[in-house]
Amino acid sequence: MNNNINSIKEEALQEITKADTLSQLEAARIKFLGKKGKVSDLLEKMKKMTPDEKPLFGKQVNSLKVSIQAGIAEAKKSLEQKSERLCSFVDKIDITLPGLKKKLGTVHPITQTIEDVVAIFRDMGFSFADGPDIETEFNNFDALNTPEDHPSRDLQDTFYLENGSLLRTQTSPVQIRVMMSKKPPIQIIAPGRVYRNDTPDATHGHTFHQIEGLYVDKKVSFADLKGVLHSCARQLMGKDVKIRFRPHFFPFTEPSVEYDFSCVMCGGKGCKICKNSGWIEISGAGMVDPRVYEKVGYDPEKYSGYAFGLGIERIAMIKYGIDDLRLFYENDERFLNQFA
Ligand code: DAH
């Protein structure tokens, strides 16, 4: 019998400590101390006992009852304290206050500019192409007819990786990737991030963005190149923008030019943004050099084409009137929110 009483005591105390709420505790009380509970069952059994057995058993059942009652009282007290603490915490919250506003992100001005330029060229029939930021020396230099001793291959200009690859210094290697993978006609636009071992200042960064354009087909001329670049300039900057070409040298184009947009900030009169020249240098362009065609296996007699680069930061700077490109990368919300 004693054993039975002990196991009921253990079971009861276990359920009491497990109870997380007052109603669970009440359920435990009914199970053990209720009218049809386990303690009443024991008292029922006592009726059938001999007068000798009754006193001891009665004493034990009574002590069981007292222990369960004490356990329940203690658990009740601690549950009540817990709920009081919770209530006082809830009381301190002013539910009439407006909630915290969720901040909405906005498209970064550089991303926006890339999207604008890509959309303009897509409308002119160009399709999207891309290539990796980590390039081979072949794609970034050799295939672009850039000789071993060219200064841009110097360690001071290019970030080389330990395995001999490099961080592309321009988006022009995408030209090579595309031409190696298919035959003309080719008409692509390829935006991307590029890297140079430059000291950052207001107009230079070690990481920036370019968009590469390439059009190769039969009988493509320099006039076609002028046409698309001028059209792009007008759509980006407004119909009054002028474009000018200056003779230049790039190893992968012949002839080569650098081209500028007239400064839309001052209307070409000269201001801080255009360094008083009235013009903003955008990037380079030219007719694809026959030596590049040889590298990718095209017949230079059969095909001609133009290529161009666009400096995204430059365009964003004039479009939004920003005179320090480092602002684009500092992620200062006060700056970025202006583009919301
Ligand atoms: N890759 C050149 C640079 O980063 C820009 C450029 C010049 C791209 C002439 C071209 C091009 O496609 O034809 O300075």
Side-chain angles (χ1 to χ4, degrees), residues 20 57 72 80 86-87 147 158 232 237 278 284 301 317-318 327:
D20 273 336
F57 186 76
I72 287 178
E80 278 167 354
L86 201 68
C87 287
T158 301
C232 168
M237 306 293 170
E301 298 297 323
M317 282 169 90
I318 31 173
L327 286 166

Side-chain angles (χ1 to χ4, degrees), residues 5 7 15 117-119 130 172 185 192 202 206 215 243 247 263 279 290 295 300:
I5 290 178
S7 70
E15 282 195 28
V117 175
V118 169
D130 67 356
S172 305
H206 47 70
Y215 182 31
I243 184 164
C263 178
W279 295 94
K295 297 269 189 211

Side-chain angles (χ1 to χ4, degrees), residues 101-107 333 336-337 340:
K101 254 197 191 157
K102 263 206 177 148
K103 288 188 188 163
L104 276 187
T106 57
V107 179
E333 281 188 35
L336 294 176
N337 281 337

Side-chain angles (χ1 to χ4, degrees), residues 82-331:
K82 200 167 131 192
S83 97
E84 250 168 47
R85 278 199 302 273
L86 201 68
C87 287
S88 70
F89 175 67
V90 170
D91 284 347
K92 279 188 199 134
I93 300 173
D94 182 351
I95 54 164
T96 63
L97 279 177
L100 290 180
K101 254 197 191 157
K102 263 206 177 148
K103 288 188 188 163
L104 276 187
T106 57
V107 179
H108 192 280
I110 293 295
T111 309
Q112 189 59 57
T113 309
I114 293 175
E115 284 175 5
D116 291 348
V117 175
V118 169
I120 289 170
F121 282 97
R122 198 178 279 145
D123 285 350
M124 291 194 270
F126 286 74
S127 48
F128 185 92
D130 67 356
D133 290 18
I134 296 177
E135 260 299 359
T136 58
E137 237 183 316
F138 178 81
N139 287 343
N140 196 81
F141 292 127
D142 301 289
L144 288 164
N145 192 36
T146 309
E148 201 78 55
D149 56 359
H150 194 278
S152 67
R153 292 180 82 136
D154 200 277
L155 271 177
Q156 290 190 349
D157 290 298
T158 301
F159 290 114
Y160 287 91
L161 306 182
E162 274 168 9
N163 62 4
S165 338
L166 47 83
L167 294 181
R168 64 176 175 190
T169 59
Q170 49 189 352
T171 42
S172 305
V174 183
Q175 292 186 30
I176 304 302
R177 288 181 175 268
V178 173
M179 287 193 278
M180 297 266 233
S181 67
K182 66 189 275 250
K183 294 266 157 264
I186 278 172
Q187 192 176 11
I188 55 114
I189 193 87
R193 202 174 279 163
V194 301
Y195 308 84
R196 298 219 182 140
N197 200 350
D198 253 345
T199 311
D201 62 23
T203 50
H204 297 86
H206 47 70
T207 304
F208 52 102
H209 299 79
Q210 291 184 333
I211 295 192
E212 193 76 12
L214 175 70
Y215 182 31
V216 183
D217 203 347
K218 287 173 187 155
K219 299 202 178 99
V220 177
S221 75
F222 197 93
D224 298 323
L225 169 65
K226 275 174 87 171
V228 289
L229 288 180
H230 196 200
S231 170
C232 168
R234 284 165 60 107
Q235 291 183 66
L236 276 176
M237 306 293 170
K239 64 178 178 27
D240 294 330
V241 72
K242 292 192 196 69
I243 184 164
R244 100 177 161 181
F245 294 88
R246 291 175 282 111
H248 198 74
F249 171 79
F250 291 105
F252 39 92
T253 41
E254 181 56 37
S256 302
V257 291
E258 268 189 337
Y259 65 98
D260 312 326
F261 289 175
S262 60
C263 178
V264 284
M265 282 296 143
C266 60
K269 285 191 211 83
C271 66
K272 201 176 158 199
I273 305 270
C274 62
K275 294 186 192 127
N276 282 323
S277 71
W279 295 94
I280 310 249
E281 188 186 319
I282 300 296
S283 186
M287 300 306 290
V288 179
D289 194 300
R291 292 206 195 130
V292 175
Y293 291 139
E294 278 161 21
K295 297 269 189 211
V296 299
Y298 282 7
D299 180 356
E301 298 297 323
K302 201 165 151 196
Y303 297 110
S304 59
Y306 61 73
F308 59 86
L310 279 148
I312 290 301
E313 277 75 0
R314 291 271 165 85
I315 291 176
M317 282 169 90
I318 31 173
K319 204 169 156 204
Y320 301 116
I322 289 154
D323 58 8
D324 190 331
L325 66 74
R326 288 169 291 195
L327 286 166
F328 287 129
Y329 307 111
E330 282 165 2
N331 271 340

